[in-house]
């Protein structure tokens, strides 16, 4: 099994910064990409950024930066706004065994989420 553990969420005032971390562990054979998604109350989950792309959600461009170090990804969030309030989820696309990798497959794994609340 693949486990993803997020940390770094919390309450911050508008204009502040937070850094989220997500550590992947367990039976990891290959990683195609890791990324951050978020879901605000009453809204669909949306992609914020992925490690295999330079594209960011339009709403966070210039303020958020994703980085990756081996099996850990980070999301540096600056100039936070109240509309950034959401549960942030870590995602991993990859394989937990060689059979999956050999077959050209990939599975999607999710963390439990970490709450980010930005007060105005």
């Amino acid at each position: 099994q693949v486990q993803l553990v997020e940390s770094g969420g919390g309450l911050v005032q508008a204009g502040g910064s937070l850094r989220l971390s997500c550590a992947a562990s367990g039976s990891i054979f290959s990683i195609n990409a890791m990324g951050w998604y978020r879901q605000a109350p009453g809204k669909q989950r949306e992609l914020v950024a992925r490690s295999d792309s330079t594209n960011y959600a339009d709403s966070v461009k210039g303020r958020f930066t994703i980085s990756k170090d081996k099996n850990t990804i980070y999301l540096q969030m600056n100039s936070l706004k109240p509309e950034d309030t959401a549960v942030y989820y870590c995602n991993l696309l990859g394989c937990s065994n060689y059979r999956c990798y050999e077959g050209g497959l990939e599975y999607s794994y999710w963390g439990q989420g970490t709450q980010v609340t930005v007060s105005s």
Side-chain angles (χ1 to χ4, degrees), residues 5-10 19-23 36 73 75 112-114:
V5 178
E6 301 113 331
S7 61
R19 189 188 192 213
L20 305 183
S21 300
C22 171
W36 290 98
I73 60 168
L75 186 67
Q112 80 286 352
T114 185

Side-chain angles (χ1 to χ4, degrees), residues 36-48 59-60 64 81-89 110 113-118:
W36 290 98
Y37 289 72
R38 68 184 183 184
Q39 187 167 19
K43 295 187 177 181
Q44 290 188 330
R45 190 173 298 189
E46 64 172 352
L47 174 64
V48 176
S59 58
V60 308
F64 289 12
K81 304 176 181 180
E83 50 264 43
D84 294 319
T85 295
V87 178
Y88 284 71
Y89 295 92
W110 294 93
T114 185
Q115 177 70 47
V116 171
T117 303
V118 184

Side-chain angles (χ1 to χ4, degrees), residues 31-76:
I31 298 176
N32 295 336
M34 294 181 71
W36 290 98
Y37 289 72
R38 68 184 183 184
Q39 187 167 19
K43 295 187 177 181
Q44 290 188 330
R45 190 173 298 189
E46 64 172 352
L47 174 64
V48 176
R50 268 175 52 162
S51 62
D52 61 339
S53 171
T54 57
N55 291 327
Y56 290 79
D58 288 341
S59 58
V60 308
K61 283 180 181 177
R63 301 187 298 119
F64 289 12
T65 303
I66 189 171
S67 59
K68 184 174 179 293
D69 181 13
K70 296 182 182 178
N71 291 355
T72 299
I73 60 168
Y74 306 91
L75 186 67
Q76 179 65 43

